Structure formats: structure tokens, C-alpha cells
Amino acid sequence: MFRATLKSLLARKLRLILSGLAVVLGVMFVSGAFVLTDTLGRSFDAVFADAYEGVDVNVAAKPKVALSEFEGEQVAAPVPASTVERVRAVPGVDEATGIVAADGARLIGSNGKVVASFGPPQLGENWVGENDLVKLREGREPRADNEIVVNAALAKAARVSVGDRVGVLTLQPKQEFTLVGIFGYSGGRDSIGGVNEVMFTTPVSQRLMLGAPDVFTNITITAADGVSAEKLRDDLAAALGADYEVKTGEQLSADASAGLKEGLSFFNRILLGFAAVALLVGTFLILNTFSIIVAQRTRELALMRAIGAGRRQIIGSVVLEAVAVGLIASVLGLAAGIGIGALLAYLFGNLAGGLTLAGIGVPAAAVIGAFGVGLIITVVAALLPALRASRIPPIAAMQDVATPDRPLTKVTVAGAAVTAIGTTLLFLGLGGHVRGNTLPTILVGVLFAFIGVALLTPLISRPVVSLLGAIFSWSVPGKLGRLNSGRNPRRTAITAAALMVGIALVTGVTVILDSAKGSIGKLAQDTINAELVIAGAQSGPRPPSFDPSVLEKIKAIPGVTLVDGTYGDMAQVGSERTWVGASSDVAALGPIFEAKATAGDISRLGPDQMLVSSDVAKSRNLTVGSTVPVQLARGEPKTYTVSGIYESAEFLDPVTLPIEATRDFTVPQPIMGFIQLSPDTPSADVLPRVEALLADSPEVSVADRDAFIQQQTGQLDGLLTMIQILLALAIVIAVLGIVNTLALSVLERTRELGLLRAIGLRRAQTMRMITVEAVVISVFGALLGIAVGTGLGAAVVEALRDEGITDLVLPWADMGVMLGLGAVVGVVAAVLPAIRAARIDVLGAIAHD
């Protein structure tokens, strides 16, 4: 039996290669994700080990507002200069150095634009001299208040050199400095981990990066000879008390690396999600392949039963073929995954500003995941056909067997049940009825929905395929192609279901993002009563900002009636972290944002007062006169009195603080500006004058309201494009499925094709017949995908209504493109099978058994 199975496997290499490709692509994503995260994880370990080399112990004050990685930038609390002296007095300390190192120093390059960073921080630091790690390559150290040095990576990116006058943005607006030195790191490195660094004299760094004199972000300490880092850490912690975090250099390195690895794990989950989609589509392909193989081998398997093969042996024969396919596909997928992981790591390293990559490694998880997933998916998909093969009676060997149509009752009932389960899970997840398990519930619900629809597909395939095929029935090849596509509803349904999954996901995501764009655009049009908006695209943890003095200058422009600059930050408001805002002109909240008071006065705000939205007031039981303690990123906690409550709205902050509070914000400058003009003033007349005032704030620009809305919603287009590219893999696998089905169908119908050729069907007509069959199946799959995707997208939009996505937008143009794509997929998939069918030897085909 084993030898017979191997011969069967080798005799049908092409069909198994095509089905194996689906597994290869899915396994590639799985192993590639693990290779990528392992490589980057070890790279970050090396980066932080270098960064804290020579640091035995580090002392930092506990942050005033502790933020998670996804809530914003963590601002270090200042360490007073007196603490440095206290540290030096602790026995065992050889040297203690006060360090200023804060994110937010943005250098303006020679092209007049800010050097952007997509991930690594842009540190503003104090120069403390050369050491084993840091070495000047050109020039000298900064000595005067108007002098700086930068690392070599930043100098290259900005295209600046020693002696140049350069602008730097910090907590304060743009200031000019002379670049007096460029430094690098040991080993010839231009930066560590792609970090951009600007170093000032210590007093200037304290003023510009921390907003106060005689303070530091941390203290680095070298232990005296014979004193261990762990003992010195414990002694310093006892001496300084609970307000400080004292860690060894090794602890600091491990913690910093762990934070970035947490972000990488999120990226890893995204890649694994797309791998799951690819494997789900691949499952349909493999199931269909083995179903056709079993149908084609009916007489062969019946003969095996007749000469004594048991049902278990028949099952084992089919499963063994599946194991062989899974093993080969897993090996190839693992190899491809290693290559893809290495490529993505290389691209990530360049995007991160020249991250030095550790050697490409293959972790055990990549190998286990590759073989585990590859084998499990293949074997599970082949089980159903294997069971069907074991039920073939020996008597089938004595007759010419055609594959009969089986009743669809069982599969329809099963499909309805699975669809109901999926719908229920989606309802629970999208409705917020499963606390803490929303995403897993939705994902499982989507999986069940897809499987349920796939099981129901045979029921609707015959009438729909017949209707679609009628379009091509004006010719004999068209009529034959229509009949062929509908002759086996199960096979047609499974083939179309593979394409349905990819199209459904693309359609669903498009519906959600287009609805979000439409809702945001409409909301902005309805609620922002400003002709011009000042804003910038955020590329790092800090939002772009501009000089607040610009607001007063804009007010002086003829035709300007109202100007408002808005600030924002995360703060500890009472017992919860909350986004807080501030306005340069609180009275403008009504005219510009249509803020409506529900209690108190919202047109003015004293230095000890705050405004809250109605949602915040309700959730925290606040009324006018309530007092709330607020801790901002800097400064000491302060208690504010609620002086007004406004109706919650999308563009209004949940909490509004007085303008005086912004000096303790992470970014103490306005991040957006809104300009209202008189009715007879064209925005085109004012816009260039505002642009001129923003010349020293290159991170932001001014645009009319329509252009601003387009700019904000345009960011979703980039996200949609990325998702579509990744989901294109599922469509590629679906194409392989159609190719596989047609190729096997041509093989199965060899005699039939020979007879058609013998009675006059020409080669070109044969090719058209196969093409019509492919196009009908693929368009059916595309229609099904569009319908399912639209339903899923609409359900998500409805669930997000309370989050501001209020308008359901159906992307008709995109749907048309996807329907056209379905037709193109059919034509492409039909090429090889059609050529093979046209080349069939007529006499040999007629004699084929």
C-alpha cells in the first residue's frame, strides 16, 4: 500500500505542486514573522547593550504620568542637580554624571525641512565629553550657548557640515545654532539604533529640552573598584527613596529592549493574521484538490478495496499523500520565510535610520510553526476526501463510474448552523458584550462566517453560475463553458470560496475605511467653522507644533475674524489617564467648533478652572463646582474646578484646561490652529500670508478646510493600500486554486474533450470553453466576496457608530474594480489549462479510460 501511494503521488506531481504552493505561501508568512521578530529583537538587544555599556547604575525620577506604549510619549520627571550631589556622596560611587536626554530635538536640514524620524527618538542632550563609546569625528565640543554637535547619521540626513548655521525645534520655537562638531560611535557607527541626536551645552539643553534650569533626566553612575553594580544599586535606592527608579545598566538595557519587543509582537501578530488568511484560502484549495483526486481515482481505489485493502489503508493512503505535500511545502515555505524575514528586517533597519542588524537567525518557533502549520492544514484539509475515499465500494471497480451529485441537504444545514454561530459571535464582539475578549471573538466570528458561507455556496452556485454563464451563451464554447461550470456545484463552490475570502476581506476593509473617511469628512465639514486650518502630519511620538506667537500675528491680518490655537496631551485626571486639551481662545470653542454648553459658562476659563465634556461629566459624576486633581507631564499636581460642561463632540477634547497649564504639557506649543475669516474675504488672499508667518515652523502648513479634511482622511488611503497588498496574497492563492481545479477537470474530462474535438470543436473554441468556465467561477467568487465583505463591513460600521463612524459608504467603484479583477483572474487562471485542453490528442483522448 505504501509503494502504491508513492507511485500515485509521483504520477500526479503537477496537481500536488499547485496545491502545495498555497501551503508554501501561508507557511512563508508564519516563519517569516518569527524570523523577522527574532532578528530585530536580537538587534535591539545589541543596540541597548551598547548604549548602556559603561553604565553600572542609572538613577531616574519616576514619571509624573505613567503612559503605556500606545498612549503617547513617556516624559521623564526632572532630577534636581542637588540629587547628583547626593548620589556622589553614597559610598561605592566612583563617578556620577547628570544627563539630559529628552525626545523632541528636531533639526532643520539644508533643504529647510525637518529631518523626520519614523520610530527612533530625536534626542536633545547635553554634551558630557568623549568616552569609549562616543568620539568626535569632526570639529570640537560645544562651548557657547549657540553651539551644538550632532551625530554623523543626523548630519548626513540633514546634509549639514561643521560651520553651518542650522535651526533646531525643541520645547521652544525654532532657534539658530552653529554646528561645531560631528560625532560617531565605536565600531565606525554613525548612530545607535537610528537615533538622531543633537547635543547642546548643559544649561541650554536643560532650558530647551526640560524647560527648567539645574535639572537632568537621569544620572549615570560608575561603581568604584570592588563594588558590584547590584550592591551599589541597592545602596542608592535606599539612600534616594521611593521617588526614584534605580537600575543597573543591564536592567536598563533589558527593559528598553523589552519595550520595543512588545511593539514588535504587535507587528508579528499582524503578519500571523495575514498568514491565517492565506492558510484559510489554501485549505479550500487543498480540500478541492484531494476531492478531485479521489473522484478521479474512484476505480483505482475500488480495485484496491476489491483485492483486500481495508478502509483504514485507503484513508492512510490519502493522508500519506497529504503528509508528503505538507512536508515538502513546509520546507519550501520555511526557506521562503527566512528570505522574506531577512528582507523585511533589512527594510525595517533602513526605515529606522540605519539599525545595525544582528545576524539572521532561525528560531525554533519558526521551524515548529512552519512544519506544524504546514502539516496540520494539509492533513486536515485532506481528511474529508480521505473518508470519502474509504467509503468507495469494491463493486465500483466493475463499472464505469462517474462522480454522482450528492444531495446538498447535509452541507446546507451545516452551513446554516456554522453561519449562525459566526453571526452570533460577531454580534457579541461588535456589540461589546464580551469584555476583554472583543478582538478574539470578532476574529473567530469572521472565521465561522467564512466557513459557513463556503458551506452554503453549493446551494446557490448552480442558479447563480447558470445566470452568469448566460452572458457567454451566444456561442457553442460559451454554452459548454457555462454547463461545465455548473455541473459540479460542490467543486465550483469550493473553488469560488477561495477567491471569496480574499475579495470579502478587501471589500470589508474598504467599506470600513471609506465609511470612516466619509464620516470624518462630513463631521469636519459640519462642525469646523474655520476657513483655514494649521496642521502637520505626525511621523513620530510627538505631534508637529508651531510658535504660539504666530497666532497673534495672524489676528492682525485683514479679513481674519477669529483665531484659535489648540494644545493637547495625556494627563492623569483624577484616577484615570485622559486626553486633555487647551485653547488659546476659549471663547472660540463655540463659534469654531459649535461647542454647546449644557451647564455653566464655557466662554471663559480662569487659571484654576476646567471645562469637561458631557460624557466625562456623566462617567465621573462631575457637576459645575466639582474639583478634580490633574497631574500633567511636567510640574506638580494641581486641583481645578469645573466651571462649565459642553456637549460631547468629535472635535472637542474631553477635558479643556486653561492656557496657563500648557507650560507643563509634553509639547507646550499649539499643535493645530483654526482661522475664521469674514464672509467677504477669500481664503486664497489670507493663506499665503499665514504661510509666510509659519516659515520658522516647518513641521506644519496651512490649508483650507477642504484640503485639510482630505489630508487627514488621506492617511487612511495609505493604510488601505497596505492591507490590499497583503491580502493580494489570498487572491494569488485563489488563482492557483482555479488553475488547479481547471487542470484537474481537463484531466478528468480527457475523453469528453476528445469527443468534442472529434465532432468538430476547434482548438480555439476549446480554449474559449475552458476560459468561459474559469471566468464564470471566478466572477461568482468575486460576487460572493463582495456581498459577504459588504455585509461584514456594514456590521462593523454599525458597531462603530458611537465611535464617530456614522455614515455607511459603499465603495461602488472599488466593487466594480474587484468584479473586473474576478474576470481577469478567471482569464489568467484559464491560460495553462486551456492550452493543455487544446493540445489533447483526439484519438488518444477518445481511447482514454
Side-chain angles (χ1 to χ4, degrees):
M1 198 68 188
F2 179 75
R3 287 197 300 271
T5 300
L6 288 182
K7 286 183 178 180
S8 172
L9 192 63
L10 294 173
R12 298 173 175 86
K13 294 185 286 292
L14 179 60
R15 75 184 181 206
L16 297 174
I17 287 172
L18 288 172
S19 57
L21 275 174
V23 182
V24 169
L25 293 173
V27 168
M28 179 185 72
F29 257 124
V30 173
S31 56
F34 286 118
V35 169
L36 172 65
T37 50
D38 175 74
T39 300
L40 293 181
R42 288 184 293 105
S43 299
F44 286 125
D45 286 340
V47 164
F48 290 113
D50 285 344
Y52 296 108
E53 184 181 5
V55 176
D56 290 328
V57 181
N58 183 82
V59 172
K62 290 183 179 178
K64 294 182 179 295
V65 180
L67 302 179
S68 70
E69 185 180 351
F70 298 103
E71 286 181 318
E73 178 189 355
Q74 184 69 72
V75 178
V79 178
S82 59
T83 304
V84 179
E85 298 306 318
R86 289 174 60 194
V87 167
R88 286 174 180 156
V90 174
V93 172
D94 180 51
E95 185 179 353
T97 305
I99 301 295
V100 175
D103 196 0
R106 291 94 71 206
L107 186 75
I108 300 173
S110 59
N111 60 358
K113 297 181 179 180
V114 171
V115 179
S117 173
F118 299 94
Q122 297 174 293
L123 296 180
E125 303 169 286
N126 62 326
W127 176 261
V128 295
E130 295 181 285
N131 52 43
D132 292 338
L133 182 64
V134 178
K135 297 288 183 183
L136 279 169
R137 293 184 183 174
E138 299 178 45
R140 58 173 177 81
E141 73 280 359
R143 297 168 186 160
D145 288 352
N146 64 343
E147 294 178 346
I148 60 170
V149 296
V150 300
N151 66 7
L154 180 55
K156 289 177 181 178
R159 296 183 179 178
V160 295
S161 55
V162 172
D164 288 350
R165 292 286 292 175
V166 296
V168 181
L169 304 175
T170 57
L171 292 181
Q172 297 187 16
K174 175 185 171 183
Q175 294 192 22
E176 294 280 342
F177 295 88
T178 300
L179 180 62
V180 298
I182 296 174
F183 64 91
Y185 296 89
S186 59
R189 292 168 294 176
D190 293 339
S191 74
I192 291 184
V195 175
N196 293 334
E197 292 172 277
V198 180
M199 292 193 179
F200 312 86
T201 61
T202 295
V204 173
S205 67
Q206 291 170 333
R207 176 169 53 86
L208 296 183
M209 301 310 302
L210 303 180
D214 298 324
V215 291
F216 299 96
T217 53
N218 60 293
I219 306 168
T220 60
I221 301 143
T222 305
D225 291 340
V227 179
S228 70
E230 289 74 17
K231 182 179 187 310
L232 184 56
R233 174 199 61 196
D234 296 341
D235 291 345
L236 285 167
L240 296 175
D243 292 335
Y244 290 90
E245 292 180 340
V246 185
K247 297 180 179 180
T248 64
E250 289 183 358
Q251 283 180 305
L252 211 59
S253 174
D255 290 349
S257 184
L260 282 172
K261 286 179 180 177
E262 179 61 30
L264 285 177
S265 67
F266 175 75
F267 186 62
N268 189 46
R269 286 192 289 270
I270 292 176
L271 288 178
L272 291 176
F274 285 108
V277 172
L279 290 167
L280 175 62
V281 177
T283 301
F284 289 118
L285 194 159
I286 297 164
L287 175 62
N288 209 21
T289 299
F290 277 93
S291 295
I292 296 172
I293 289 170
V294 168
Q296 289 175 343
R297 295 174 59 197
T298 298
R299 176 173 285 188
E300 175 190 331
L301 294 170
L303 281 171
M304 288 184 180
R305 290 292 313 279
I307 62 176
R311 296 184 67 174
R312 288 186 180 180
Q313 287 177 302
I314 297 296
I315 293 174
S317 174
V318 177
V319 170
L320 184 60
E321 288 191 29
V323 169
V325 172
L327 277 173
I328 295 169
S330 297
V331 171
L332 295 176
L334 177 60
I338 293 170
I340 289 294
L343 176 62
L344 290 176
Y346 172 78
L347 294 175
F348 187 96
N350 285 330
L351 186 65
L355 173 66
T356 302
L357 293 177
I360 301 299
V362 184
V367 178
I368 295 170
F371 285 95
V373 167
L375 282 172
I376 290 170
I377 290 295
T378 313
V379 171
V380 167
L383 276 178
L384 220 64
L387 290 171
R388 195 175 304 143
S390 71
R391 292 175 184 147
I392 295 174
I395 194 65
M398 310 301 177
Q399 49 188 282
D400 187 15
V401 181
T403 306
D405 282 343
R406 298 189 307 279
L408 299 175
T409 307
K410 290 182 180 179
V411 73
T412 302
V413 171
V418 174
T419 303
I421 293 171
T423 304
T424 303
L425 290 172
L426 285 171
F427 171 77
L428 294 173
L430 294 172
H433 302 295
V434 282
R435 296 178 181 177
N437 296 299
T438 300
L439 184 59
T441 303
I442 292 174
L443 292 177
V444 174
V446 169
L447 177 63
F448 271 82
F450 278 141
I451 295 173
V453 171
L455 291 172
L456 290 172
T457 303
L459 184 67
I460 61 173
S461 66
R462 183 166 284 170
V464 175
V465 165
S466 179
L467 185 63
L468 289 173
I471 300 171
F472 303 96
S473 293
W474 49 269
S475 66
V476 171
K479 289 178 180 177
L480 291 172
R482 183 194 69 175
L483 293 171
N484 288 334
S485 58
R487 64 162 52 174
N488 192 324
R490 293 171 186 267
R491 183 182 303 175
T492 298
I494 294 173
T495 306
L499 184 61
M500 177 267 291
V501 173
I503 296 288
L505 289 171
V506 172
T507 303
V509 171
T510 305
V511 168
I512 295 167
L513 294 183
D514 278 7
S515 298
K517 287 168 58 180
S519 301
I520 293 170
K522 182 182 178 183
L523 189 63
Q525 287 281 3
D526 293 344
T527 58
I528 297 179
N529 297 318
E531 284 71 28
L532 297 175
V533 180
I534 300 170
Q538 187 169 344
S539 61
R542 284 178 174 239
S545 60
F546 59 96
D547 187 346
S549 65
V550 169
L551 297 171
E552 293 301 320
K553 296 174 184 177
I554 293 173
K555 289 180 181 178
I557 298 175
V560 173
T561 59
L562 198 60
V563 178
D564 183 32
T566 59
Y567 303 69
D569 201 7
M570 287 295 294
Q572 188 74 28
V573 180
S575 59
E576 299 179 24
R577 289 192 298 271
T578 307
W579 178 263
V580 299
S583 175
S584 63
D585 184 0
V586 176
L589 292 177
I592 291 181
F593 300 106
E594 296 187 353
K596 299 175 182 178
T598 60
D601 185 1
I602 65 169
S603 63
R604 58 178 182 268
L605 199 58
D608 298 321
Q609 296 177 327
M610 66 189 295
L611 306 177
V612 298
S613 69
S614 54
D615 286 347
V616 170
K618 181 179 179 180
S619 64
R620 304 192 186 189
N621 296 318
L622 299 178
T623 59
V624 173
S626 298
T627 58
V628 184
V630 176
Q631 173 63 69
L632 296 170
R634 297 183 175 89
E636 297 304 316
K638 184 174 181 178
T639 299
Y640 292 90
T641 301
V642 177
S643 63
I645 300 172
Y646 45 73
E647 188 176 322
S648 297
E650 188 67 26
F651 288 95
L652 289 173
D653 296 314
V655 174
T656 298
L657 298 178
I659 191 67
E660 291 85 358
T662 59
R663 63 176 177 268
D664 290 329
F665 278 25
T666 300
V667 180
Q669 296 174 12
I671 56 179
M672 293 185 72
F674 299 89
I675 305 168
Q676 205 173 70
L677 307 177
S678 60
D680 58 345
T681 302
S683 58
D685 292 347
V686 178
L687 192 145
R689 300 187 65 175
V690 176
E691 283 181 333
L693 294 174
L694 292 170
D696 286 340
S697 301
E699 290 182 302
V700 299
S701 60
V702 61
D704 61 47
R705 183 174 58 180
D706 291 338
F708 164 73
I709 293 171
Q710 187 174 3
Q711 177 190 34
Q712 297 302 305
T713 57
Q715 297 175 15
L716 295 176
D717 291 331
L719 176 62
L720 177 60
T721 301
M722 182 189 72
I723 292 173
Q724 287 174 338
I725 290 171
L726 289 170
L727 287 175
L729 175 68
I731 297 174
V732 169
I733 297 175
V735 173
L736 293 175
I738 298 172
V739 172
N740 203 15
T741 298
L742 290 176
L744 292 171
S745 182
V746 167
L747 202 64
E748 187 180 49
R749 289 154 42 199
T750 300
R751 187 173 188 181
E752 174 189 322
L753 291 170
L755 287 170
L756 288 171
R757 290 292 312 284
I759 62 175
L761 194 70
R762 296 188 301 274
R763 286 190 173 186
Q765 290 177 311
T766 303
M767 294 178 70
R768 286 207 302 273
M769 178 185 71
I770 299 297
T771 302
V772 166
E773 183 178 349
V775 169
V776 169
I777 292 173
S778 60
V779 170
F780 172 55
L783 279 173
L784 198 62
I786 290 170
V788 173
T790 301
L792 290 174
V796 173
V797 169
E798 180 63 29
L800 294 176
R801 182 170 292 275
D802 292 340
E803 304 299 324
I805 303 180
T806 55
D807 294 349
L808 175 64
V809 177
L810 299 181
W812 296 109
D814 289 333
M815 290 180 185
V817 169
M818 282 181 273
L819 197 58
L821 176 65
V824 172
V825 162
V827 173
V828 171
V831 171
L832 291 177
I835 292 173
R836 184 170 184 177
R839 289 178 177 174
I840 285 178
D841 178 70
V842 177
L843 294 178
I846 293 173
H848 181 79
D849 188 7

